[in-house]
Amino acid sequence: MKIKPLQISAHIILLLGVLLMVVPIWISFASSTHDTVTILTEGMKFNIGEHFSRNYNEVLNEKGGWSEEVTAAKMFINSFIMALGIATLKVTISAMSAYALVYYRFKLAVPIFWLIFITLLVPLEVRIFPTYKIVSDLGLTNSYTGLILPLVASATATFFFRQFYRTIPDELLESAKLDGANSWRFFLDFLVPLSKTMIAAMFIFMFVYGYSQYLWPLIMTTSEKYWTVVMGMKIIFTESYEGVALPRTAERFAYIILSMIPPVLVVVILQKWFIKGLIQTEK
Amino acid sequence: MSFLDLKNVTKIYPNGTKAVHETSLSVEEGEFMVFVGPSGCGKSTLLRMVAGLEDITEGEITLDGNLINEVDPSERDIAMVFQNYALYPHMNVYNNLAYGLKNRGIDKKDIEQKVNEAAKLLQISEYLERKPSMLSGGQRQRVAMGRAIVRNPKIFLFDEPLSNLDAKLRIQMRLEIKKLQQKVGVTSIFVTHDQTEAMTLADKLAVINNGVIEQLATPIEIYNNPKSLFVAGFIGSPQMNFIEGELKNNTLSAEGFEIKNVKSDFNGDITLGIRPEHLSQSDNGLINLNVDLVEQLGSDNLVYGQLKDKKDFCYRCPGNLTIKKGDKLSLNIDNENYFIFDKSSGKRVN
Ligand SMILES: Nc1ncnc2c1ncn2[C@@H]1O[C@H](COP(=O)(O)OP(=O)(O)OP(=O)(O)O)[C@@H](O)[C@H]1O
Ligand SMILES: [Mg+2]
């Protein structure tokens, strides 16, 4: 088989893309296995050092923060709960509201849909003070509910679900009805299984969205018990040296590497589903 | 009261289209009723109102003694086979059949037994594990039928279920549907725009035009005795020949010929209808035909040609007669087998 120049150049471009993605991660990982002094004096590393277990152990177990109470492990758990809650609720609510918009034909369905769509123009960052006021009036500061609730509505996901439901032929609903399915059953037995690839995709996006939230948890939490990974990155692993705060670079790299694991796991687990759905074309 | 009764049923769609006009109709238990008519005449609308998929604008529908106007489709105990089958794409064949039973809370063992029985009846037992996308058109059709049969509903509705199949399969499935219906004995309504399908399947045939039932009778009665110009033209293949003419004092005169002693008191412009198969050759016949084209079907020949006034005309003769292009035939009508319609209203007048 002859290899065409076009193929070669395509592969080179792909390879460059892969390198662009992988190299920074590798550098972070390699650097996380040295000690801070080495990094500070010699710069970032490409080779694996000897301090892997010590650094990672410290990151996971060392208590930090002002109160010296919160650990990175705790922050991972917090972030995971927050992201999981946001992703689950976002997907559920969007799928259900799209169902209502598509299948319950009432006159206001279209205006309501556009109203939902317009909320894309006012993300949380824009309405953060009123949101904070409401959440604090409800007494939800420093709670998982408070972290999750203001972020669970999603116009984007509603939009995608709506577009998908509209492609499902009416006969399917009609024949399900004649088979004795009520609205709930139709949603659960038909729309959910038919849109499972979309659910998986949405879940991935929303999980990453929830996981990388910074401003909201920062404002919302005063108790270190509810700190999240992204907040912690700035705050912990700082060493005081003659009154100047110096970052403990090696531990921070370890922390970054660890913080990548939950979203990567979600992607890897759901990807199986995702691809399965793509291969089994269901007409 | 019959098993299914429609009383002055009317459908006006939200956009103002009046698809069904004050229609009354009854179907006896176990009867195979066929709705036939051209595209857009309101057949599907009528069927979907029975199923509960469209609201009834006016009138009443009773099924098995109960008024069902306001009954939800899921509660009506009706099964429907759709034109594109509407199989559940994410469920295998077994679950497609079982779904309706599950929703009725029947226990697993009974479901399994019923599904297997239905699958056997329809010869789809080997495909039970497959998804619909892995089946051929004919097999999908059977699954759709199976889904209807398995629930043993009060009534079967079919909306042009054969129109997606190729000609040969269509004839085969047509036979099977008829056999199956006789075996299972369920009251059925079948919608089609194919008159052959309608004639062969129906116990009773409703010919619908523009939202109105033009005639409702057995297929053979409709063939022998069409009540209107529309019905006469729609039922029968090849189509009935129509000749314009005038009726006065029991004498019918058309371009080139006259018929005396017509049994009708009507006076005025008429349309004369003659079926191609009700003609035979004779010397000094009424109708003179210049042959353009002969189609040999084996058993029969279809002879197409023109009358004096260039009007197209068809004559069906036994296959052993040799007729060729350019021949001039002289034809007589057999046994007064002709139909006369009022030209303006289309009503039968003899
Ligand atoms: N949802 C609707 N809204 C408005 N008008 C409709 C709607 N559905 C059907 N119609 C109209 O009602 C009339 C009857 O439609 P219907 O579908 O019953 O015809 P049909 O006899 O089944 O025709 P076909 O043989 O093509 O299926 C048509 O004129 C059609 O345009
Ligand atoms: Mg139709």
Side-chain angles (χ1 to χ4, degrees):
Chain A
M1 201 174 70
K2 244 175 68 183
I3 298 167
K4 295 180 193 121
L6 192 72
Q7 260 182 332
I8 296 176
S9 59
H11 276 89
I12 290 174
I13 291 172
L14 285 176
L15 216 60
L16 284 177
V18 170
L19 282 180
L20 205 67
M21 303 292 285
V22 169
V23 168
I25 296 176
W26 175 253
I27 293 177
S28 312
F29 178 69
S31 303
S32 75
T33 57
H34 290 267
D35 63 6
T36 301
V37 178
T38 320
I39 295 170
L40 286 181
T41 51
E42 297 174 19
M44 296 201 239
K45 302 300 249 184
F46 274 94
N47 62 325
I48 305 263
E50 288 141 16
H51 297 284
F52 175 84
S53 57
R54 200 202 66 195
N55 284 352
Y56 280 82
N57 220 345
E58 239 171 63
V59 167
L60 281 175
N61 297 318
E62 194 181 281
K63 296 182 183 343
W66 307 300
S67 59
E68 302 282 321
E69 254 176 16
V70 61
T71 62
K74 174 71 178 161
M75 291 193 287
F76 284 130
I77 292 170
N78 285 345
S79 275
F80 192 77
I81 291 174
M82 180 178 173
L84 195 70
I86 288 175
T88 313
L89 287 174
K90 256 185 192 295
V91 170
T92 316
I93 291 173
S94 314
M96 280 170 38
S97 62
Y99 176 49
L101 288 172
V102 174
Y103 285 94
Y104 291 80
R105 299 223 170 95
F106 59 109
K107 283 209 182 77
L108 290 178
V110 175
I112 288 180
F113 170 71
W114 287 111
L115 205 64
I116 292 176
F117 205 69
I118 284 173
T119 62
L120 280 179
L121 299 177
V122 271
L124 185 72
E125 287 73 13
V126 175
R127 56 186 162 89
I128 201 143
F129 289 112
T131 309
Y132 180 82
K133 171 104 172 66
I134 292 169
V135 169
S136 87
D137 285 354
L138 291 173
L140 292 175
T141 47
N142 289 321
S143 70
Y144 289 125
T145 320
L147 276 175
I148 294 168
L149 208 56
L151 294 167
V152 297
S154 168
T156 334
T158 307
F159 175 75
F160 281 115
F161 278 113
R162 174 177 180 262
Q163 296 312 94
F164 176 74
Y165 293 162
R166 280 157 59 115
T167 65
I168 291 178
D170 282 347
E171 282 89 357
L172 208 58
L173 171 68
E174 291 172 348
S175 90
K177 266 190 196 165
L178 291 173
D179 255 347
N182 57 23
S183 326
W184 262 114
R185 287 253 69 91
F186 181 68
F187 182 66
L188 295 176
D189 294 344
F190 289 81
L191 295 184
V192 170
L194 284 173
S195 61
K196 66 181 177 215
T197 52
M198 173 163 277
I199 291 177
M202 287 297 151
F203 190 89
I204 292 173
F205 293 140
M206 298 310 169
F207 187 91
V208 173
Y209 168 84
Y211 195 79
S212 53
Q213 282 301 313
Y214 176 64
L215 191 59
W216 178 244
L218 190 67
I219 290 189
M220 237 290 300
T221 55
T222 47
S223 155
E224 290 171 0
K225 271 199 291 186
Y226 292 98
W227 278 9
T228 62
V229 171
V230 185
M231 292 164 68
M233 210 169 286
K234 186 173 179 300
I235 297 163
I236 69 170
F237 303 116
T238 311
E239 206 148 289
S240 199
Y241 182 75
E242 296 183 347
V244 184
L246 284 181
R248 289 159 60 189
T249 317
E251 281 88 343
R252 281 210 175 164
F253 276 123
Y255 184 87
I256 287 169
I257 292 294
L258 283 175
S259 75
M260 281 188 318
I261 291 173
V264 168
L265 267 183
V266 167
V267 171
V268 168
I269 292 169
L270 288 185
Q271 200 193 17
K272 265 194 194 165
W273 245 40
F274 197 66
I275 289 174
K276 209 162 118 194
L278 289 181
I279 295 170
Q280 288 179 346
T281 44
E282 284 166 349
K283 292 183 271 186
Chain B
M1 182 183 276
S2 319
F3 190 65
L4 175 74
D5 260 316
L6 276 69
K7 244 186 250 143
N8 296 323
V9 170
T10 299
K11 174 71 188 181
I12 301 172
Y13 279 108
N15 68 358
T17 313
K18 193 167 183 183
V20 174
H21 298 251
E22 298 79 20
T23 294
S24 297
L25 163 93
S26 46
V27 184
E28 303 299 331
E29 189 153 11
E31 199 168 56
F32 200 121
M33 166 74 78
V34 173
F35 294 166
V36 67
S39 187
C41 70
K43 311 178 291 285
S44 298
T45 307
L46 202 54
L47 196 72
R48 290 165 58 80
M49 284 194 286
V50 174
L53 300 173
E54 297 288 351
D55 292 331
I56 300 159
T57 313
E58 252 170 63
E60 288 182 351
I61 299 183
T62 50
L63 176 63
D64 202 8
N66 305 313
L67 185 70
I68 56 169
N69 278 37
E70 301 296 329
V71 179
D72 195 74
S74 58
E75 311 279 316
R76 286 189 188 195
D77 200 7
I78 283 175
M80 183 155 169
V81 178
F82 292 82
Q83 181 171 351
N84 58 8
Y85 318 138
L87 299 180
Y88 309 143
H90 56 299
M91 299 183 191
N92 63 18
V93 171
Y94 180 92
N95 284 324
N96 261 280
L97 297 195
Y99 186 70
L101 299 173
K102 280 182 195 157
N103 279 334
R104 284 187 165 64
I106 297 169
D107 71 52
K108 268 222 166 85
K109 268 210 185 117
D110 288 349
I111 293 182
E112 203 177 327
Q113 194 202 336
K114 282 178 191 212
V115 170
N116 286 332
E117 253 170 42
K120 213 166 138 196
L121 194 66
L122 288 156
Q123 300 161 356
I124 49 171
S125 304
E126 341 165 17
Y127 314 120
L128 285 178
E129 294 305 319
R130 291 206 201 165
K131 293 267 178 75
S133 56
M134 298 155 76
L135 298 175
S136 73
Q139 291 161 348
R140 285 181 208 187
Q141 167 70 52
R142 283 165 206 270
V143 176
M145 298 271 301
R147 199 168 60 183
I149 287 175
V150 77
R151 277 185 18 219
N152 193 18
K154 283 188 181 149
I155 189 163
F156 272 2
L157 307 177
F158 301 85
D159 194 351
E160 311 205 18
L162 303 180
S163 54
N164 281 347
L165 303 178
D166 65 61
K168 203 171 155 201
L169 203 52
R170 188 155 30 181
I171 293 171
Q172 187 192 339
M173 284 310 294
R174 188 170 84 198
L175 265 170
E176 284 190 27
I177 288 181
K178 182 75 181 172
K179 274 195 217 152
L180 204 68
Q181 197 267 344
Q182 282 171 353
K183 198 157 164 188
V184 186
V186 181
T187 317
S188 308
I189 303 179
F190 189 103
V191 162
T192 177
H193 57 246
D194 180 313
Q195 61 96 20
T196 323
E197 229 167 83
M199 292 289 287
T200 49
L201 282 172
D203 293 330
K204 275 268 183 64
L205 189 56
V207 184
I208 303 177
N209 186 26
N210 283 329
V212 177
I213 296 185
E214 295 246 347
Q215 191 169 359
L216 175 70
T218 60
I220 200 69
E221 167 73 10
I222 290 186
Y223 175 83
N224 286 336
N225 217 348
K227 285 269 186 308
S228 71
L229 194 63
F230 174 80
V231 175
F234 198 81
I235 299 294
S237 166
Q239 214 193 15
M240 188 184 278
N241 297 299
F242 292 117
I243 302 171
E244 315 272 275
E246 197 182 13
L247 188 61
K248 216 178 208 173
N249 304 326
N250 300 60
T251 300
L252 187 156
S253 44
E255 179 81 23
F257 64 88
E258 270 192 355
I259 304 175
K260 293 212 162 64
N261 300 324
V262 174
K263 293 191 196 83
S264 170
D265 300 329
F266 184 81
N267 285 309
D269 286 344
I270 52 97
T271 304
L272 173 68
I274 309 162
R275 291 203 187 277
E277 53 271 39
H278 291 159
L279 292 159
S280 49
Q281 291 185 60
S282 72
D283 305 333
N284 297 323
L286 279 178
I287 301 163
N288 294 310
L289 180 67
N290 297 320
V291 179
D292 284 339
L293 179 78
V294 180
E295 280 183 356
Q296 294 183 313
L297 304 180
S299 58
D300 290 326
N301 287 342
L302 298 180
V303 180
Y304 296 94
Q306 290 182 334
L307 303 181
K308 268 198 193 123
D309 58 348
K310 302 281 176 219
K311 215 174 144 19
D312 291 325
F313 199 83
C314 176
Y315 159 49
R316 182 178 201 147
C317 68
N320 53 13
L321 297 183
T322 43
I323 295 172
K324 43 186 202 309
K325 188 177 175 211
D327 284 358
K328 290 186 192 319
L329 304 181
S330 160
L331 302 172
N332 254 339
I333 305 169
D334 301 338
N335 312 325
E336 302 197 353
N337 248 327
Y338 54 81
F339 310 98
I340 303 172
F341 304 95
D342 176 350
K343 193 180 166 194
S344 52
S345 72
K347 289 255 155 51
R348 176 89 175 273
V349 293
N350 75 329

